[in-house]
């Protein structure tokens, strides 16, 4: 008799836990839907999947590394295509070009280009995936596991968090302003220039209207709890398709 009671109690606990998880997932998906509406709505975001952003920024120095000022242009198209062009005059003029196109990637500096090796390619792919997740619309796909992450105080405003999980990728945490629904922070594990794992938090602020969408005009990135980069966005362009050859080898 006691063993039967134990079975029924265990079954009840499992069913209750499953119900909590289902409710948690539903709440997370509702929050994502609110965020999609806040950023322009599904129809508007879907018709312009290609984003080109021009910005100027600072790589914050430390005891061992100098501060670098730069200007840049980045184009993204989905989870596996990113092109970044960075120019700086800090220590002699250089132009850095990085391209990810599916299962191939290249990095060029001042006209000399090399195809990246396996480890660097994997890092570029994971970086692109994280940015794609933060574009929000992909999260309507049921292959993503979404759960609530609790509340956070960001710029003296309450933000609600969602943890995004998907097989084959690291978790990404997204935080949305409780009142407006706008994305204000992302968190993930990243790899630094030496390939070492480091916590990364990105804060997005000063949202403005861009082609019927809302986009952050200031982006501040912390790594390991320290300032890493600050971006000031100068221009956004959203398009249905990339220019021909955008993601070719530079």
């Amino acid at each position: 008799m006691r063993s039967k009671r134990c079975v029924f109690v265990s079954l009840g606990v499992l069913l209750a836990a499953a119900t909590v998880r289902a409710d948690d997932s539903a709440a997370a998906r509702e929050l994502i839907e609110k965020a999609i509406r806040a950023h322009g709505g599904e129809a508007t975001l879907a018709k312009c999947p290609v984003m080109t952003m021009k910005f100027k920024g600072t790589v914050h120095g430390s005891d061992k590394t100098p501060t670098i000022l730069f200007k840049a242009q980045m184009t993204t198209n989905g989870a596996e295509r990113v092109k970044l062009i960075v120019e700086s005059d800090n220590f002699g003029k250089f132009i850095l070009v990085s391209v990810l196109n599916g299962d191939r990637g290249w990095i060029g500096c001042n006209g000399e280009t090399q195809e990246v090796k396996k480890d660097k390619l994997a890092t570029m792919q994971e970086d692109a995936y994280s940015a794609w997740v933060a574009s929000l619309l992909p999260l309507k796909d049921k292959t993503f596991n979404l759960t609530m992450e609790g509340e956070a105080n960001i710029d003296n405003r309450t933000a609600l968090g969602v943890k995004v999980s998907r097989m084959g990728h690291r978790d990404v945490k997204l935080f949305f302003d409780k009142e407006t629904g706008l994305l204000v922070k992302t968190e993930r594990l990243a790899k630094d220039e030496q390939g070492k794992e480091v916590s990364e938090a990105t804060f997005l602020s000063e949202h403005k209207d861009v082609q019927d969408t809302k986009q952050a005009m200031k982006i501040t990135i912390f790594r390991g709890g320290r300032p890493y980069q600050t971006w000031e966005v100068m221009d956004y362009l959203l398009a249905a398709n990339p220019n021909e050859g955008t993601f070719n080898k530079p």
Side-chain angles (χ1 to χ4, degrees):
M1 194 70 180
R2 180 179 299 172
S3 63
K4 288 184 178 179
R5 284 199 299 270
C6 289
V7 169
F8 288 136
V9 169
S10 298
L11 181 59
V13 170
L14 289 173
L15 290 174
T19 301
V20 169
R21 286 196 296 270
D23 290 344
D24 188 63
S25 178
R29 291 196 174 277
E30 286 180 9
L31 184 54
I32 294 299
E33 290 290 347
K34 178 180 179 180
I36 289 172
R37 293 192 297 270
H39 282 274
E42 181 177 355
T44 300
L45 295 174
K47 69 182 181 182
C48 293
V50 181
M51 184 276 293
T52 297
M53 178 174 68
K54 294 180 180 180
F55 57 101
K56 61 182 180 180
T58 303
V59 179
H60 298 286
S62 65
D63 294 339
K64 298 181 180 180
T65 58
T67 295
I68 300 174
L69 304 178
F70 66 90
K71 60 180 180 179
Q73 176 174 304
M74 179 168 61
T75 300
T76 63
N77 182 19
E80 297 183 324
R81 289 175 176 81
V82 179
K83 182 174 185 177
L84 176 65
I85 304 172
V86 179
E87 298 182 36
S88 177
D89 295 317
N90 265 61
F91 305 97
K93 185 176 180 63
F94 73 84
I95 300 176
L96 177 70
V97 182
S98 171
V99 177
L100 172 68
N101 191 347
D103 60 358
R104 299 189 71 182
W106 302 271
I107 293 179
C109 185
N110 292 341
E112 295 185 9
T113 301
Q114 292 185 341
E115 187 161 3
V116 299
K117 296 181 180 180
K118 183 178 179 180
D119 289 348
K120 178 61 178 177
L121 178 64
T123 297
M124 292 171 68
Q125 290 170 328
E126 198 65 19
D127 290 346
Y129 167 80
S130 298
W132 179 62
V133 163
S135 70
L136 304 180
L137 201 56
L139 299 181
K140 293 181 68 68
D141 192 322
K142 299 300 183 182
T143 60
F144 289 96
N145 181 31
L146 307 180
T147 54
M148 295 299 293
E149 186 62 24
E151 295 187 354
N153 186 309
I154 300 174
D155 289 337
N156 296 318
R157 294 175 64 87
T158 301
L160 303 177
V162 172
K163 183 170 75 172
V164 179
S165 304
R166 196 183 198 189
M167 186 177 295
H169 292 283
R170 297 169 181 245
D171 292 346
V172 180
K173 297 177 183 179
L174 308 175
F175 293 84
F176 305 92
D177 185 282
K178 186 175 183 179
E179 182 178 343
T180 66
L182 294 172
L183 180 65
V184 292
K185 182 185 178 184
T186 71
E187 288 183 4
R188 67 181 185 120
L189 272 180
K191 287 190 176 182
D192 63 16
E193 289 76 3
Q194 287 74 44
K196 180 181 177 182
E197 285 192 350
V198 59
S199 62
E200 181 178 279
T202 300
F203 293 85
L204 304 102
S205 59
E206 299 181 14
H207 293 78
K208 292 186 178 180
D209 293 326
V210 178
Q211 295 175 231
D212 298 321
T213 70
K214 288 283 189 182
Q215 304 291 343
M217 305 304 288
K218 183 176 180 181
I219 299 170
T220 306
I221 306 170
F222 287 78
R223 282 191 171 177
R226 300 183 59 170
Y228 172 55
Q229 291 189 26
T230 302
W231 301 357
E232 181 184 345
V233 180
M234 313 304 294
D235 188 37
Y236 270 103
L237 176 63
L238 307 178
N241 297 292
N243 293 330
E244 185 175 355
T246 297
F247 303 105
N248 290 349
K249 177 181 175 180

